[in-house]
Amino acid sequence: MSDTKKITISIIGAGIAGPVFALQILSHPTLRKQYTPIIYDKLPPPDDASDASFNKRGRSSYAAGAAVALTSNALFPLYQLGLKDALHEVSSETTSINIWRAWSNTKESESGIAGPHKWYNIIRNPGWKAELETNLRVVERRDLQRILLEKVKELGGEVVWNKKLREIETLGDSSNSLKLLFEDGSFITTDLVVGGDGNWSSVRRFIIQQQWPDDIKTRWAPEFPFCSGIYGISERFENAEGKGNEPGDTHWVLLDQGVASTWALPDGKMFWTISLPEALPPARSPDLDPSQAQKLYGADVSCGGYSFESTVEILRKHENIFHPFASTFGAIFKNSSRIVRAPLWHKAWNVNEIGSHNAVVIGDASRAMLPSSGQGACFAIEDATVLANSLLNNPLTCHELKFNDAISEYASLRVPRSKRMATQSYWTGVVGLGARFWWRWLRDFGSAWFPLGGDPRA
């Protein structure tokens, strides 16, 4: 194709998948010569401290999120993009995972005394990869987003904030271009749109609408697997004996119904989680304003559509769950700077549902997986890398702009892998949550007695 005209790629979403895809384009000499990636995001820039931005982001908000674990399938491409040093500065290598069983202390519900507990097992050096010389690494989501966007800016990329996609239209002319309409009344035309806009992706909705206009909702919406999660970031913590979290130390605590965990972050901070069975997804009520200021334990709280009262009730119920060095999870809650509650979703969309002609989705827009997979962010990074490779493998001609071959290659590579991991994460979640006594028995027996492997670094 001609060197005089670059092809515009509009990327919807500045989370993780979108910036990684932009970096893959900007850092490759051939792709950079052919394409101009521009990222659009519905939120204000992360460093905007104005009141309007503060409310629009919903206090600490989903935008900041909590943290993610990165295994070798994500670390390889990030290192190749030149992000190793920056990533190591803001992430913590997980050196061990201790597995515990804990029961609620119902008799001393107000005392702050931990309930009964038992140590089950240990996983040493999880995710160790000799080529990378690291185990899996845990990083706050906002820090990962920051270093990605800084690299995008360094390479001359563009991010446009406060642009919420409202609708996509086909122009129907010989250019095969798309018209993207935003909620502020503005619009652009683009050659290719890449949706990194999450489980409820507007780009995926457009793809499905073009092929199945009478079956949009069934195909587009993810499925609710009857569970939810609460996540938080605890600041540097020391117990009554002056002990804090050991670097790289992770703990999984199996509950009567659900799983709690803590993961070490740099500077003594912790990422903590509680995953629980949930009867219903959140009601999208107009009374539940996500921008309303909510605080608990002095932390900013985002409830993800659930009521603040029900979120408080869950956390209070789990305050006296045992934790190995903090004594109780309540002590960790009270040391948190932000808390995020989110419904969990499950679905791996089919090949024709994630891409067609000049629209394609990546990351959570292409699959919804339970966090039991530990692969949400990792698969988003994989997607971005594979899509860039597919564009490289299927160059455009100077006569017409057709992305069908590249999108078809990408979708055919990603969907089978997504379906396998989504299925695995679903059943791991079912067993791990222990909502029924037989699953709970299987989980506890397996965790306590099944060998979890030796030390891969030994």
Side-chain angles (χ1 to χ4, degrees):
M1 59 176 294
S2 171
D3 294 343
T4 60
K5 182 181 183 300
K6 283 189 175 184
I7 304 305
T8 301
I9 301 178
S10 297
I11 302 167
I12 307 302
I16 294 175
V20 172
F21 177 66
L23 286 175
Q24 294 290 1
I25 299 296
L26 293 167
S27 62
H28 193 283
T30 301
L31 294 175
R32 183 185 180 93
K33 187 177 181 181
Q34 294 178 341
Y35 299 103
T36 299
I38 304 175
I39 302 173
Y40 297 88
D41 196 273
K42 64 183 178 181
L43 294 172
D47 56 357
D48 185 349
S50 67
D51 290 341
S53 169
F54 193 59
N55 286 333
K56 191 171 181 180
R57 282 183 166 264
R59 299 288 292 172
S60 57
S61 85
Y62 278 175
V68 296
L70 301 176
T71 48
S72 59
N73 54 323
L75 294 174
F76 267 118
L78 292 179
Y79 288 4
Q80 290 174 340
L81 289 169
L83 294 169
K84 180 177 180 178
D85 291 342
L87 180 61
H88 281 216
E89 285 183 8
V90 297
S91 66
S92 176
E93 181 183 14
T94 298
T95 56
S96 65
I97 300 175
N98 281 277
I99 303 175
W100 304 80
R101 179 67 161 93
W103 292 264
S104 299
N105 187 1
T106 55
K107 294 182 179 179
E108 303 286 346
S109 59
E110 300 296 330
S111 68
I113 299 174
H117 57 273
K118 182 178 182 181
W119 182 85
Y120 271 172
N121 220 324
I122 187 171
I123 304 172
R124 293 181 173 86
N125 293 305
W128 167 253
K129 187 63 67 172
E131 302 94 308
L132 300 177
E133 298 183 330
T134 185
N135 302 316
L136 70 84
R137 305 190 71 89
V138 182
V139 58
E140 288 191 59
R141 187 182 183 278
R142 66 181 181 183
D143 286 338
L144 177 58
Q145 182 192 35
R146 175 178 56 79
I147 64 174
L148 292 172
L149 293 174
E150 286 176 352
K151 190 70 172 180
V152 168
K153 184 178 180 180
E154 177 188 323
L155 295 178
E158 182 180 359
V159 183
V160 183
W161 301 97
N162 292 302
K163 290 291 182 183
K164 183 176 182 180
L165 183 64
R166 176 172 60 84
E167 189 178 357
I168 304 175
E169 295 179 355
T170 55
L171 293 182
D173 55 19
S174 59
S175 69
N176 293 316
S177 297
L178 297 174
K179 184 177 182 180
L180 308 185
L181 298 93
F182 298 98
E183 285 200 345
D184 63 1
S186 63
F187 67 88
I188 61 166
T189 58
T190 190
D191 300 303
L192 173 66
V193 61
V194 176
D197 48 346
N199 290 161
W200 299 93
S201 168
S202 297
V203 178
R204 189 181 68 249
R205 186 183 183 94
F206 167 75
I207 293 169
I208 292 172
Q209 183 177 11
Q210 295 301 107
Q211 302 173 79
W212 302 280
D214 298 325
D215 195 22
I216 297 172
K217 185 175 181 180
T218 302
R219 290 178 175 271
W220 173 67
E223 299 168 2
F224 182 65
F226 301 101
C227 52
S228 68
I230 303 180
Y231 314 98
I233 301 295
S234 173
E235 299 302 311
R236 186 177 183 86
F237 180 90
E238 289 186 355
N239 61 19
E241 299 175 354
K243 294 180 180 179
N245 198 26
E246 293 294 328
D249 210 12
T250 292
H251 299 277
W252 293 349
V253 182
L254 309 179
L255 310 175
D256 280 341
Q257 290 196 352
V259 182
S261 69
T262 59
W263 303 73
L265 290 168
D267 302 322
K269 297 168 72 174
M270 279 187 295
F271 165 47
W272 59 264
T273 77
I274 301 178
S275 298
L276 298 166
E278 189 80 54
L280 296 169
R284 299 295 175 179
S285 169
D287 297 329
L288 302 176
D289 180 6
S291 69
Q292 182 180 355
Q294 302 279 20
K295 276 190 173 288
L296 179 65
Y297 308 115
D300 294 328
V301 180
S302 177
C303 296
Y306 289 103
S307 71
F308 180 68
E309 291 73 20
S310 67
T311 303
V312 172
E313 181 181 359
I314 291 171
L315 291 170
R316 298 291 191 203
K317 179 180 178 181
H318 291 86
E319 283 183 349
N320 289 336
I321 293 296
F322 161 81
H323 189 272
F325 71 81
S327 180
T328 65
F329 268 82
I332 298 172
F333 300 161
K334 294 170 185 176
N335 198 52
S336 296
S337 57
R338 65 183 184 273
I339 297 172
V340 178
R341 185 180 180 190
L344 303 178
W345 305 102
H346 168 80
K347 190 169 183 176
W349 283 272
N350 295 318
V351 168
N352 292 335
E353 294 170 334
I354 69 167
S356 69
H357 305 302
N358 48 358
V360 63
V361 293
I362 56 179
D364 290 346
S366 65
R367 80 191 65 77
M369 298 192 297
L370 298 187
S372 51
S373 70
Q375 287 292 306
C378 297
F379 267 48
I381 294 167
E382 277 191 29
D383 287 347
T385 305
V386 172
L387 180 57
N389 286 339
S390 296
L391 289 174
L392 187 64
N393 295 338
N394 298 272
L396 301 175
T397 69
C398 60
H399 303 294
E400 55 185 353
L401 299 182
K402 287 191 175 181
F403 301 93
N404 301 57
D405 291 342
I407 291 174
S408 177
E409 178 183 299
Y410 160 78
S412 64
L413 289 171
R414 298 308 294 157
V415 167
R417 180 161 165 76
S418 294
K419 286 184 177 291
R420 288 193 299 269
M421 182 55 70
T423 300
Q424 176 184 319
S425 69
Y426 175 80
W427 287 110
T428 302
V430 167
V431 175
L433 291 178
R436 298 288 185 267
F437 76 87
W438 52 84
W439 296 126
R440 193 156 57 248
W441 180 88
L442 179 62
R443 177 200 67 183
D444 290 359
F445 181 84
S447 298
W449 297 104
F450 283 8
L452 298 179
D455 186 345
R457 298 186 67 169

